Amino acid sequence: MYSVLLSALFAGIVAILVTVAIEKWGGIIGGILGTLPTTIVPATIGMYIEGGSEDLATSMSLIPFWMLLNALFVASWVVIPRMKEGVTLAQMTFVSLAFWSLLALLMTISLTQALNIFSESMIGIVGLVALLGLGIWMTWIPQKAPKGKNSVTKKVLLMRGLAAATAIGIAVQLSSMGQPIIAGLASVFPAIFLTTMVALWMAQGSDVPTGAAGPMMLGGSSVAVYSLIAPWALPVNGIILGTLICWFGAVITTSIPAYSYLRWRQSSISQIGK
């Protein structure tokens, strides 16, 4: 129970900080910072403590596909407003969550079957490659990623933290109940992505959240890499050292290159426009 509560509390705090980062530094920096491996840290530790190494391996192997699911969720916040001019925040929230739920159901069924055929590591690598491909495609032509001009209210930030804390708490609890596949899905429920989009849309208008969408999609690959390292790092090196290996490994191999890539694309487009 303590691991569930601590995981949920940490996730809630991180969720609040992400919105502030995007608001203060703009979509590129804020989007990358917002998708650093954060909420997955307490979720992974909690799953390992409650479910053991086997359940951890199963849950983590599917995280890349769950992050791909979240990337598609974020993409809907860019695509749908382009398809339907004047779409409201309420409509956008409903449509994006319905889209996520349908894909989550289809992915859960498909991946459950895939685990009977392919190895966990192979499934994880395929998910990571697909996630990277989508992120690069969505950010090849950069969108405006302005800083926020207005402050997100404390009430909205608190709601965002509570949503993320609830999702992670449920994930760890499910893992302790022997439901590793559903736990993995719950651990990446788009609480952070959804509340980021809603909070920033309410405070800044649609430009700030949609500008951060592409960087968040690409930056999310760091979470996928973290999940692929965790099943080895935690059992072999212990929770503290294993977590550090996962975090620095993910940031060095994905977050930093993603930031460099986004700056390069932005610079290239700017030079073409001159």
Side-chain angles (χ1 to χ4, degrees), residues 4 23 37 43 68 77 82-83 93 103 105 113 122 134 138 142 169 181 197 207 210 218 235 241 246 256 258 274:
V4 174
E23 178 190 53
L68 176 63
W77 284 78
R82 293 178 183 174
M83 296 174 58
T93 301
L103 286 181
L105 176 61
Q113 295 301 317
M122 181 179 293
L134 179 63
M138 287 295 294
I181 295 177
M197 295 300 175
D207 287 344
T210 55
L218 186 59
L241 179 58
C246 292
I256 294 175
K274 292 182 179 179

Side-chain angles (χ1 to χ4, degrees), residues 23-111:
E23 178 190 53
K24 184 174 181 180
W25 290 302
I28 293 180
I29 297 177
I32 294 296
L33 288 176
T35 49
L36 289 174
T38 48
T39 55
I40 193 170
V41 174
T44 301
I45 293 173
M47 288 178 190
Y48 179 55
I49 294 174
E50 297 290 342
S53 58
E54 290 188 7
D55 281 357
L56 176 66
T58 301
S59 295
M60 293 295 103
S61 69
L62 301 183
I63 293 294
F65 271 104
W66 299 146
M67 290 306 298
L68 176 63
L69 172 62
N70 281 347
L72 293 170
F73 170 83
V74 172
S76 69
W77 284 78
V78 177
V79 175
I80 293 176
R82 293 178 183 174
M83 296 174 58
K84 183 181 179 181
E85 188 175 351
V87 63
T88 66
L89 176 59
Q91 291 172 332
M92 191 63 246
T93 301
F94 175 78
V95 171
S96 63
L97 281 176
F99 176 64
W100 186 90
S101 299
L102 176 60
L103 286 181
L105 176 61
L106 295 175
M107 278 193 177
T108 300
I109 295 173
S110 300
L111 291 172

Side-chain angles (χ1 to χ4, degrees), residues 133-220:
L134 179 63
I136 292 172
W137 180 58
M138 287 295 294
T139 55
W140 186 253
I141 300 178
Q143 304 296 314
K144 292 181 180 179
K147 299 178 182 179
K149 296 180 180 179
N150 306 309
S151 296
V152 178
T153 64
K154 293 180 179 179
K155 181 179 179 181
V156 173
L157 287 174
L158 179 61
M159 290 175 60
R160 186 170 189 274
L162 288 173
T166 301
I168 297 303
I170 292 174
V172 175
Q173 182 61 35
L174 286 171
S175 181
S176 69
M177 297 168 62
Q179 301 290 333
I181 295 177
I182 302 302
L185 177 60
S187 72
V188 293
F189 177 80
I192 289 182
F193 293 116
L194 175 62
T195 50
T196 294
M197 295 300 175
V198 171
L200 292 174
W201 188 308
M202 290 174 63
Q204 320 292 348
S206 60
D207 287 344
V208 173
T210 55
M216 290 177 71
M217 292 170 65
L218 186 59

